[in-house]
């Protein structure tokens, strides 16, 4: 066994050139394209992108849960310096639900409808821990209390159908947290929930990461959710991370024209521009391309206001500020005000 | 003389019998669950929509937004209450039959997959005798142009279009009978932000060009603030606040609206300290007595637990259903 590099000891998760493809009749398509990013312990990373950009496939790829016709085509995923790619199935079983946990948009992917909550939780603990049943039950109760479930003792004896949607999602989160994982991957767990319930869950997740030092990858299409939650943000487009940086860098001074376009198209941006009600928003023209017909070079170029002939070869990784990276030939200059004049979006 | 509102809904009550989901059906089948009670989806709702106005309808899941939209559009008959079209009882008003159209969240669910887009759009105006077969192609092309699609779209099937384009097809279809009022039920909720902005702009343009009136249902406060003149906030089947959009967002009057605005994430890149509303949205099967919001309300007092607060005018054009305002007013 090789000794992990010293820098990997501070980094909880290091992902390098992770690539996942699907075999289709028209040939292979790349859903996750050379993804590289890092996550420190206690850090919250927001993974944002529009529908089909590859967010969920990234989550599944990190957990080695890619089903055929999909396959992980390459790259490296290291958790505390330990390479996870190529790990035997029994090692993965020991990791999942213990060191790494995943929370899905639909809590019923986690919950078993015919088992009582306490049964499910105790089993999850005992699968990974040598504890007595009573100790496991105690842990389960504590986990429910942590995610803010009132009358936790009573809830333990309920079946999933006796709980509301928001409550089921919180139980699913509690199950994910049972064994105090190092890494949590949450795939849009609040998208179907009301904002008041969402706020409660975001609050609980934030506290948990801070207190337990777990790393959290929060997958969402909603930029405003990561704004208040994440330390760092990765923006995906057509299978690639097109921009990453601290939340402030990405949201306040985006370098990639796609990030900028996304932010500018929101009603909130229009409001910040001081627009009057009913005035037009500034959408990104067109729609995201299907994976099977990705434009050559920068996949965003047909929709991009800054595109020119140079954008036909694949774009380089620009580093407009320390810790901020954008996959673009013409990144926006640092500090370009978010809701500034449209001129700053025009091609040079 | 005041012109009557385009559409007025007065004292609308609508309840539903049991509609268990599969988990509940399983629970009942195994004898763990008693049969469900009935849901009071709308519990005495009064709203008016003026001609040319955009009224936003906001509320959490299950608050009754879609039910109110369907009652407004005449697709659901309430147990109690009246619908007035330009001041006249609606059933006696022929124009109301196609004067109100609905636009849905997922147009593909309402678009027959075996019909070409042209036929889908022409279907209703043909049945209503608005156009002849001979005029159909030109009529459809005109509508497609209005919603930003090219005439060639008429010959294709709905599934051959992207989400944003399908939303446009749904809108063209609603416009085909020349309605005065569009009831839009979460029309952009399924779209990506960048595409959502395109469709919201289309709603804005059509309003200007055709003088349309909208009842616009959305749980997205940013969208509502952008588009709506006035906003009604629903909570468990009751309107708790009704106010001009600018005033509502600047100074929400009802504790529920205040909590809703506080919990809505913004684009500010600043670690937020989320403070959540206490507790869950109560079950609509057994709403709390008095003010429905009282178990979660930070300012509830004894009266809130017993007496239903009426929706009262608290300032010109502003309405709230809260005992705090009654006490103050
Ligand atoms: N079995 C499959 N064969 C081919 N392509 C697939 C298959 N399953 C998924 N994909 C593609 O993989 C891409 C990434 O999908 P993924 O579910 O990760 O997107 P996402 O960003 O999570 O989107 P959403 O916001 O809609 O959840 C999509 O473009 C999708 O079409
Ligand atoms: N056909 C029906 N049968 C039984 N119950 C129904 C029916 N339609 C609606 N309900 C119930 O009425 C209440 C209001 O539902 P409605 O669909 O109007 O809510 P909504 O505000 O549109 O919610 P959402 O945001 O989830 O769309 C809910 O409790 C719902 O379960
Ligand atoms: S009526 Fe009472 S409980 Fe209801 S919102 Fe007002 S203060 Fe809160
Ligand atoms: Mg997904
Ligand atoms: Mg609805």
């Amino acid at each position: 066994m090789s000794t992990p590099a010293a820098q990997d000891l501070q980094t909880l998760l290091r992902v390098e050139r992770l690539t996942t493809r699907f075999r289709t009749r028209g040939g292979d398509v790349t859903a996750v394209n050379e993804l590289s990013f890092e996550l420190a312990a206690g850090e919250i990373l927001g993974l944002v992108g529009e529908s089909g950009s590859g967010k969920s496939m990234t989550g599944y790829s990190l957990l080695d849960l890619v089903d055929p016709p999909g396959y992980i085509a390459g790259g490296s995923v290291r958790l505390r310096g330990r390479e996870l790619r190529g790990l035997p199935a029994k090692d993965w079983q020991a990791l999942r639900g213990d060191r790494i946990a995943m929370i899905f948009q639909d809590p019923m992917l986690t919950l078993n409808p015919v088992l009582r909550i306490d049964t499910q939780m105790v089993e999850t603990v005992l699968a990974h821990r040598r504890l007595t049943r009573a100790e496991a039950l105690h842990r389960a109760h504590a986990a429910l209390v942590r995610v803010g479930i009132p009358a936790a003792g009573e809830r333990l004896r309920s079946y999933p159908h006796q709980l509301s949607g928001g409550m089921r999602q919180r139980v699913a989160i509690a199950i994910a947290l049972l064994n105090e994982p190092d890494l949590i991957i949450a795939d849009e767990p609040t998208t179907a929930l009301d904002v008041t319930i969402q706020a409660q869950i975001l609050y609980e997740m934030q506290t948990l990461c801070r207190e337990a030092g777990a790393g959290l990858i929060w997958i969402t299409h909603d930029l405003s959710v990561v704004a208040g939650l994440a330390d760092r943000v990765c923006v995906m487009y057509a299978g690639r991370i097109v921009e990453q940086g601290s939340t402030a860098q990405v949201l306040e001074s985006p370098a990639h024209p796609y990030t900028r376009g996304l932010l500018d198209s929101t009603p909130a941006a229009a409001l910040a521009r001081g627009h009057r009600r009913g005035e037009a928003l500034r959408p990104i023209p067109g729609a995201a391309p299907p994976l099977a017909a990705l434009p050559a070079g920068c996949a965003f170029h047909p929709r991009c206001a800054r595109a020119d002939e140079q954008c036909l070869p694949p774009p380089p990784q620009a580093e407009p500020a320390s810790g901020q990276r954008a996959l673009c030939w013409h990144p926006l200059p640092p500090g370009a005000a978010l809701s500034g004049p449209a001129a700053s979006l025009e091609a040079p | 003389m005041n012109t009557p509102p385009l559409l007025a809904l007065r004292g609308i009550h609508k309840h539903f019998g049991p509609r268990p989901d599969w988990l509940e059906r399983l629970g009942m089948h195994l004898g763990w669950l008693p049969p469900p009670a009935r849901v009071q989806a709308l519990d005495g709702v009064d709203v008016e929509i003026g001609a040319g106005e955009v009224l936003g309808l906001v509320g959490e899941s299950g608050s009754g937004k879609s039910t109110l939209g369907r009652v407004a559009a005449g697709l659901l008959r309430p147990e109690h209450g009246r619908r007035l079209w330009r001041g006249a009882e609606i059933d006696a008003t022929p124009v109301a039959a196609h004067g109100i159209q609905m636009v849905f969240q997922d147009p593909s669910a309402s678009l027959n997959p075996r019909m070409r887009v042209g036929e889908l759009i022409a279907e209703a105006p043909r049945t209503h005798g608005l156009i002849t077969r001979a005029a159909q192609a030109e009529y459809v092309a005109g509508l497609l142009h209005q919603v930003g699609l090219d005439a060639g779209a008429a010959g294709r099937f709905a599934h051959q279009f992207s989400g944003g384009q399908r939303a446009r097809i749904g809108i063209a279809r609603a416009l085909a009978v020349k309605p005065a009022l569009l009831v839009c039920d979460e029309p952009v909720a399924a779209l990506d932000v960048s595409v959502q902005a395109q469709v919201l702009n289309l709603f804005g343009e059509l309003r200007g060009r055709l003088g349309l009136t909208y009842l616009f249902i959305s749980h997205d406060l940013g969208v509502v603030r952008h588009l709506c003149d006035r906003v009604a906030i629903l909570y468990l089947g009751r309107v708790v606040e009704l106010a001009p959009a600018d005033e509502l967002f600047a100074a929400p009057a009802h504790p529920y609206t205040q909590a809703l605005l506080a919990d809505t994430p913004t684009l500010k890149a600043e670690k937020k300290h989320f403070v959540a509303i206490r507790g869950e949205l109560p079950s609509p099967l057994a709403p709390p007595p008095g003010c429905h919001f009282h178990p979660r309300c930070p300012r509830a007092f004894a009266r809130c637990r017993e007496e239903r607060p009426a929706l009262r005018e608290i300032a010109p054009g502003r309405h709230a259903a809260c005992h705090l305002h009654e006490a103050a007013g």
Side-chain angles (χ1 to χ4, degrees):
Chain A
M1 271 191 93
S2 62
T3 45
Q7 53 183 10
D8 276 340
L9 291 175
Q10 285 121 45
T11 309
L12 174 65
L13 182 74
R14 177 186 295 271
V15 178
E16 276 167 331
R17 306 175 82 94
L18 181 63
T19 300
T20 300
R21 299 209 169 97
F22 283 99
R23 295 197 170 87
T24 73
R25 265 182 290 167
D28 286 12
V29 296
T30 309
V32 176
N33 206 340
E34 306 231 335
L35 246 56
S36 299
F37 64 89
E38 284 170 21
L39 181 72
E43 191 177 39
I44 304 180
L45 176 77
L47 188 61
V48 297
E50 297 184 280
S51 185
S53 58
K55 306 180 295 296
S56 297
M57 283 318 305
T58 301
Y60 293 132
S61 303
L62 291 174
L63 279 166
D64 199 38
L65 287 174
V66 179
D67 291 324
Y71 65 99
I72 299 178
S76 146
V77 176
R78 271 174 288 164
L79 185 71
R80 295 197 188 286
R82 176 188 182 198
E83 179 61 60
L84 303 185
R85 288 257 298 120
L87 225 53
K90 73 169 204 322
D91 292 12
W92 267 114
Q93 267 159 26
L95 270 176
R96 283 188 225 116
D98 188 39
R99 297 300 83 223
I100 312 181
M102 185 144 180
I103 305 166
F104 303 92
Q105 178 169 348
D106 180 359
M108 291 316 290
L109 287 177
T110 306
L111 300 175
N112 184 334
V114 298
L115 292 184
R116 258 172 39 172
I117 303 296
D118 51 2
T119 317
Q120 310 192 31
M121 294 186 81
V122 165
E123 277 178 8
T124 307
V125 175
L126 296 182
H128 298 282
R129 291 282 181 286
R130 282 178 186 282
L131 292 175
T132 65
R133 207 152 259 286
E135 286 164 334
L137 194 62
H138 183 74
R139 232 174 213 258
H141 186 272
L144 291 186
V145 171
R146 250 190 310 178
V147 298
I149 290 185
E154 214 173 289
R155 290 306 176 200
L156 273 173
R157 287 184 299 277
S158 330
Y159 290 88
H161 65 81
Q162 294 167 317
L163 308 176
S164 69
M167 199 76 91
R168 283 179 206 162
Q169 189 58 282
R170 268 184 277 177
V171 172
I173 292 173
I175 289 179
L177 301 173
L178 265 178
N179 292 318
E180 290 163 356
D182 299 322
L183 173 64
I184 304 163
I185 300 169
D187 190 358
E188 312 234 21
T190 58
T191 301
L193 303 179
D194 292 320
V195 287
T196 56
I197 307 297
Q198 167 172 282
Q200 223 158 346
I201 290 179
L202 293 180
Y203 166 75
E204 286 146 12
M205 294 305 291
Q206 217 174 36
T207 318
L208 278 161
C209 289
R210 200 181 309 124
E211 285 170 5
L216 173 63
I217 298 178
W218 191 274
I219 296 175
T220 178
H221 65 278
D222 189 340
L223 286 163
S224 56
V225 166
V226 298
L229 178 73
D231 301 293
R232 295 177 53 79
V233 176
C234 291
V235 181
M236 288 190 77
Y237 187 79
R240 289 184 186 271
I241 292 179
V242 293
E243 174 155 15
Q244 61 179 302
S246 72
T247 306
Q249 286 171 335
V250 173
L251 296 188
E252 281 163 12
S253 125
H256 199 284
Y258 173 65
T259 315
R260 171 67 186 265
L262 264 189
L263 288 164
D264 269 353
S265 63
T266 59
L271 202 69
R273 283 193 297 268
H275 91 131
R276 279 165 323 192
R277 188 153 16 83
E279 248 172 59
L281 300 170
R282 292 187 190 156
I284 303 177
L291 290 180
L294 284 189
C298 172
F300 186 58
H301 86 256
R303 304 177 73 190
C304 181
R306 294 172 76 81
D308 59 17
E309 321 75 58
Q310 202 186 347
C311 304
L312 286 173
Q317 194 75 257
E319 193 159 348
S322 160
Q324 185 178 14
R325 274 180 282 162
L327 205 57
C328 178
W329 284 109
H330 305 299
L332 291 142
L338 180 59
S339 295
S344 65
L345 254 182
E346 268 151 33
Chain B
M1 276 304 306
N2 277 354
T3 40
L6 184 66
L7 179 71
L9 302 173
R10 301 234 194 277
I12 303 290
H13 285 262
K14 177 72 207 166
H15 63 72
F16 291 104
R19 190 181 60 172
D21 68 16
W22 67 271
L23 264 178
E24 286 159 346
R25 281 203 303 275
L26 180 71
M28 286 185 290
H29 181 74
L30 300 177
W32 297 327
L33 263 191
R38 58 171 218 191
V39 179
Q40 193 69 46
L42 296 174
D43 187 9
V45 169
D46 291 283
V47 285
E48 296 181 348
I49 311 167
E53 184 183 41
V54 181
L55 176 69
L57 195 56
V58 172
E60 293 184 282
S61 182
S63 57
K65 304 182 295 296
S66 297
T67 306
L68 188 58
R70 289 163 69 211
V71 166
L75 300 176
L76 261 186
R77 191 170 280 278
E79 283 81 40
H80 300 284
R82 300 165 65 206
R83 291 163 70 223
L84 304 173
W85 182 255
R86 298 191 201 278
E89 205 73 45
I90 211 150
D91 296 323
T93 316
V95 64
H98 52 255
I100 309 175
Q101 287 295 309
M102 263 194 104
V103 177
F104 297 95
Q105 167 175 350
D106 180 10
S108 32
S110 59
L111 299 176
N112 183 336
R114 276 189 292 275
M115 280 168 79
R116 287 176 202 279
V117 166
E119 299 156 29
L120 281 171
I121 294 176
E123 195 182 19
R126 291 282 308 279
T127 358
H128 286 291
L130 290 179
I131 52 164
T132 60
R133 163 119 223 142
Q136 177 173 322
E138 197 184 328
Y139 190 74
V140 167
L143 283 163
L144 287 171
H145 180 72
Q146 291 242 327
V147 298
L149 294 172
D150 62 63
R156 291 156 66 195
F157 295 95
H159 65 83
Q160 295 172 303
F161 292 86
S162 72
Q165 290 168 325
R166 281 202 299 269
R168 290 172 193 273
I169 294 169
I171 295 168
R173 198 168 181 231
L175 293 178
V177 293
K178 301 189 188 305
L181 171 66
L182 281 190
V183 175
C184 309
D185 192 352
E186 307 264 11
V188 294
L191 303 177
D192 281 322
V193 231
S194 69
V195 177
Q196 177 174 307
Q198 298 168 6
V199 177
L200 288 174
N201 282 351
L202 175 63
F203 277 112
E205 277 166 45
L206 291 172
R207 180 195 187 189
R209 206 178 320 138
L210 306 175
L212 288 171
T213 303
Y214 296 126
L215 175 59
F216 197 91
I217 299 172
S218 177
H219 66 275
D220 185 330
L221 291 173
V223 167
V224 167
R225 185 175 192 174
H226 169 72
L227 205 68
C228 301
D229 302 306
R230 283 193 310 141
V231 179
I233 310 277
L234 276 184
Y235 189 78
L236 286 177
R238 296 176 181 172
V239 175
V240 295
E241 183 160 0
L242 179 63
D246 297 336
E247 293 178 35
L248 183 127
F249 285 103
H254 194 282
Y256 173 64
T257 318
Q258 290 164 0
L260 201 61
L261 294 191
D263 277 346
T264 300
T266 65
L267 279 174
K268 225 172 145 45
E270 182 175 276
K271 272 240 179 179
K272 191 176 163 189
H273 217 87
F274 295 99
V275 199
I277 305 191
R278 256 190 304 161
E280 294 275 316
L281 189 65
S283 160
L285 293 169
C291 169
H292 281 169
F293 188 55
H294 86 254
R296 303 171 77 191
C297 180
R299 303 176 64 188
F301 54 108
R303 189 175 168 195
C304 309
R305 287 181 270 280
E306 283 145 25
E307 189 187 327
R308 169 180 181 169
L311 185 67
R312 295 169 70 248
E313 188 157 32
I314 55 165
R318 296 204 60 168
H319 303 260
C322 170
H323 290 310
L324 287 171
H325 292 277
E326 229 161 299

